[in-house]
Amino acid sequence: MKNILVVGAVGQIGSELTLELRKVYGNDNVVATGRKTKPSEKLLNSGHFEYFDVTNRDDLYSVCKKYNIDAIVNMAAILSGVGEQNPMLAWNVNMEGLINTLEVAREMKMKQVMIPSSIAVFGPGTPLDCAPQETVLKPTTMYGITKVSGELMADYYVNKYGLDVRGLRYPGIISHETLPGGGTTDYAVAIYFEAVKNKKYTCFVKEDTRLPMMYMPDCLKATIDLMQADFSKLKHHSDFNVGAMSFSVTEMAESIRKFIPDFEISYEPDFRQAIADSWPDSVDDAAAREEWGWKPAYNLDAMTEDMLKAIQEKHDKGLI
Ligand code: AKB
């Protein structure tokens, strides 16, 4: 790959993934794009940045032509929480963005497309404990429906056009650089920020809610490892389960108390409880381990220590 376009480069994963890709492929070879949100100085100063809306196919095509793009990473999406408040917005942004990405990549004979999937593909009928790679996919959210459709579309483009399309079923991603927006797993980030700022947090899901989660360094590694895997050795393409850790909110609070002993937590479950309840507690990622060597590095306490340290530094500098 010579020139990579990151769509959604201002979001939680995109902002850190772009910087990591620039380290690997060179600053000038990774073009960051966003729709409206102002990018960080780090993102702006380390390489090209373009504003455009991925639901506009002509604009996507022009940006790809301008930079001679041969790979697209499309991280732009409306997540599960906002998607349930505005299902048609989720369908339009997620599906139009996906189809435009696949079509432009096909027309321009690109070398690779990365499209994220999510644990949101699962739903009633999926075993909740260690959800298998191959299982019932009947999500109850519009976000999940777009992710299942995305996986099917990706396989269609692989089989019909020979396009190299890849993707991971991301669990909840926990990070301290860019806040997530509009997801169900956002509580697992907010809890750390509130622990540092106020030593207390009111959680929008119940204490025994247990979901698959991953720390950002593992997320970046998984994404880049899959991008660099030998395509001919992959049996799956855009639907890899990737596990890292799985814990309840109570366990998170206990982990935080190892560093902030007087941290308090209370619970006011809202509509996102039903979404969380429809997702599995953990996933079976044997296919990712076998096909491209996936192995996570962080567990809950290691992540908690790192998150609290990074957030405390921001707090001390008055940045949050
Ligand atoms: C969400 O909560 O909607 C996302 C996801 C699990 O894909 N973080």
Side-chain angles (χ1 to χ4, degrees), residues 164-216:
D164 175 340
V165 191
R166 308 170 184 211
L168 304 158
R169 288 176 180 156
Y170 288 115
I173 303 298
I174 299 176
S175 66
H176 51 76
E177 278 295 326
T178 308
L179 289 178
T184 300
T185 58
D186 292 11
Y187 68 85
V189 175
I191 191 171
Y192 288 114
F193 278 84
E194 292 309 309
V196 170
K197 288 196 287 188
N198 302 315
K199 296 192 178 182
K200 59 178 185 214
Y201 177 59
T202 302
C203 189
F204 59 76
V205 294
K206 287 187 297 188
E207 66 238 59
D208 56 354
T209 306
R210 179 182 291 275
L211 288 173
M213 300 281 179
M214 183 183 284
Y215 194 30
M216 184 60 91

Side-chain angles (χ1 to χ4, degrees), residues 8 11 61 97 100 141 153 173 177 191 194 248 262 267 277 291 311 313:
Y61 191 82
N100 290 345
T141 61
M153 287 295 286
I173 303 298
E177 278 295 326
I191 191 171
E194 292 309 309
S248 67
D262 49 349
Y267 300 90
D277 288 346
E291 291 176 43
I311 298 169
E313 273 170 26

Side-chain angles (χ1 to χ4, degrees), residues 98-291:
L98 172 87
I99 293 187
N100 290 345
T101 301
L102 291 170
E103 272 300 283
V104 168
R106 181 185 67 79
E107 277 171 41
M108 291 180 66
K109 298 190 176 18
M110 287 194 191
K111 293 207 173 78
Q112 192 180 103
V113 175
M114 268 302 269
I115 48 165
S117 188
S118 159
I119 54 163
V121 293
F122 301 122
T126 303
L128 288 184
D129 185 21
C130 207
Q133 177 68 45
E134 308 297 342
T135 186
V136 174
L137 300 179
K138 289 195 175 211
T140 49
T141 61
M142 184 56 83
Y143 174 61
I145 292 170
T146 67
K147 290 294 158 190
V148 175
S149 309
E151 290 184 357
L152 293 171
M153 287 295 286
D155 278 346
Y156 183 82
Y157 275 70
V158 171
N159 295 326
K160 188 163 175 85
Y161 303 115
L163 190 65
D164 175 340
V165 191
R166 308 170 184 211
L168 304 158
R169 288 176 180 156
Y170 288 115
I173 303 298
I174 299 176
S175 66
H176 51 76
E177 278 295 326
T178 308
L179 289 178
T184 300
T185 58
D186 292 11
Y187 68 85
V189 175
I191 191 171
Y192 288 114
F193 278 84
E194 292 309 309
V196 170
K197 288 196 287 188
N198 302 315
K199 296 192 178 182
K200 59 178 185 214
Y201 177 59
T202 302
C203 189
F204 59 76
V205 294
K206 287 187 297 188
E207 66 238 59
D208 56 354
T209 306
R210 179 182 291 275
L211 288 173
M213 300 281 179
M214 183 183 284
Y215 194 30
M216 184 60 91
D218 276 336
C219 169
L220 299 177
K221 184 174 175 316
T223 308
I224 295 176
D225 282 359
L226 177 59
M227 287 175 77
Q228 295 181 335
D230 181 347
F231 191 66
S232 67
K233 300 226 165 79
L234 300 182
K235 295 192 199 94
H236 299 85
H237 298 108
S238 61
D239 58 357
F240 283 101
N241 280 359
V242 274
M245 46 187 141
S246 170
F247 42 74
S248 67
V249 190
T250 307
E251 285 161 355
M252 283 196 94
E254 278 161 10
S255 178
I256 290 172
R257 276 193 208 104
K258 290 181 188 161
F259 305 90
I260 306 175
D262 49 349
F263 173 64
E264 284 170 26
I265 185 150
S266 54
Y267 300 90
E268 281 175 20
D270 67 14
F271 71 99
R272 288 167 285 191
Q273 184 68 54
I275 302 177
D277 288 346
S278 74
W279 293 348
D281 298 356
S282 56
V283 297
D284 173 7
D285 59 4
R289 288 174 190 258
E290 277 156 30
E291 291 176 43

